[in-house]
Amino acid sequence: MDIRKKIGLRIKEYRTNLKLTQEALAFKAEIDKTYVNEVENGKRNISVINLEKIDLCT
């Protein structure tokens, strides 16, 4: 499996454990909801900075 897909699945799992929609996660992390969708589906690379933003959403 492609590393982008693995990371995307982990982000999706993290988001669902927090009971957040993609839109809610994007809002809290101050990133675009389309970007979140593309990352979760393995279509885009995610930067370390954006990973940190997502991690701070807890």
Side-chain angles (χ1 to χ4, degrees), residues 5-58:
K5 288 187 185 270
K6 287 181 182 180
I7 292 170
L9 288 172
R10 291 300 302 257
I11 291 171
K12 183 176 183 176
E13 180 182 349
Y14 181 72
R15 175 181 61 78
T16 55
N17 286 339
L18 294 174
K19 296 179 176 35
L20 294 174
T21 63
Q22 287 181 346
E23 186 173 8
L25 178 67
F27 180 78
K28 285 183 151 212
E30 299 179 348
I31 54 180
D32 192 84
K33 64 182 178 182
T34 305
Y35 178 77
V36 172
N37 179 273
E38 290 175 348
V39 167
E40 284 189 3
N41 289 303
K43 296 178 182 176
R44 299 243 346 229
N45 290 324
I46 187 165
S47 69
V48 174
I49 292 169
N50 286 334
L51 279 172
E52 182 179 39
K53 288 180 180 181
I54 289 171
D55 185 51
L56 295 174
C57 289
T58 58

